[in-house]
Amino acid sequence: MTLGLGDMALYAGALFILFITPGPVWLAVMARTLSGGAGAALPLAAGVVVGDVLWSLLAVLGVSWVVGAFDGFMTVLKLVAVVMFAGMGVMLIRNASRSIVADSRLTRPGAWAGFMAGLAAILGNPKAILFYMGVLPGFFDLGQVTPGDIAVIVVLSAIVPFAGNMGMALFLDRVRRLMTSPTALRRTNLTSGGLLILVAVVIAVT
């Protein structure tokens, strides 16, 4: 295997940044979790994983062939990666206040509907396509990758987005349970009431 820990960490970090950029999948995960719990979001996250695996594998194998056929192509790919990341960053900053458009197809009930929605979302997502086909090759020397390297890249491409989506789902599920459990709701109200009284006291004595 030719990949170092630094290469893996950098790529995983880029995947995480891609995940925390809000988009339609975020809304779908939130909607499915709030309506049916974390289990309802699992099929959607699984569909996204399959799409991430397909895109990363296609990018590595396809670009590896191109690199083998054309000398100096890796330099071009690195420049493309730099431009793409900078462009995505500038566009995100310029549109920081723009609302996310919800896609009702992503929130249809049912495990199979959720899985297919997640798969369709990632396969047809321009952001994902640009990342895997234009940015991923800039992180690695695809002319030298081994089967072990490819396996690591694919696994990272699957694990990071899945962990992010399910982490968000589990957090939202926790909040959902808190707000629907009578005991938890009573404790929350008692705590909030006590804090409000404390604030009143502090205001009164200062």
Side-chain angles (χ1 to χ4, degrees):
M1 197 167 79
T2 64
L3 300 184
L5 289 177
D7 298 322
M8 298 179 204
L10 186 61
Y11 180 60
L15 285 167
F16 181 72
I17 292 171
L18 191 70
F19 160 73
I20 63 174
T21 304
V25 174
W26 265 42
L27 290 183
V29 169
M30 287 189 281
R32 297 181 74 88
T33 302
L34 293 175
S35 64
L42 182 59
L44 181 84
V48 173
V49 164
V50 173
D52 283 320
V53 167
L54 290 174
W55 273 127
S56 59
L57 195 57
L58 181 62
V60 172
L61 296 179
V63 176
S64 295
W65 178 83
V66 175
V67 169
F70 301 98
D71 292 334
F73 197 70
M74 279 307 302
T75 303
V76 175
L77 288 176
K78 286 184 182 293
L79 291 174
V80 169
V82 170
V83 172
M84 296 275 273
F85 252 96
M88 289 169 65
V90 170
M91 289 179 64
L92 189 60
I93 292 170
R94 290 181 60 185
N95 299 290
S97 300
R98 181 173 295 178
S99 60
I100 307 169
V101 179
D103 188 340
S104 60
R105 292 172 298 178
L106 297 179
T107 55
R108 287 176 183 166
W112 180 249
F115 176 82
M116 293 306 296
L119 180 60
I122 195 67
L123 290 180
N125 187 348
K127 184 175 68 174
I129 297 169
L130 288 173
F131 179 83
Y132 286 115
M133 303 307 292
V135 177
L136 182 154
F139 286 93
F140 311 105
D141 183 357
L142 296 184
Q144 304 295 324
V145 290
T146 65
D149 296 330
I150 295 173
V152 169
I153 293 171
V154 170
V155 168
L156 285 174
S157 299
I159 287 178
V160 175
F162 180 77
N165 285 325
M166 288 310 300
M168 181 168 62
L170 289 171
F171 172 76
L172 291 171
D173 186 51
R174 183 80 175 179
V175 173
R176 172 178 170 269
R177 290 172 183 272
L178 178 68
M179 299 314 295
T180 54
S181 165
T183 302
L185 188 59
R186 183 174 183 275
R187 289 175 182 170
T188 302
N189 287 334
L190 288 174
T191 303
S192 300
L195 290 173
L196 289 173
I197 294 170
L198 179 60
V199 171
V201 171
V202 171
I203 292 174
V205 298
T206 55

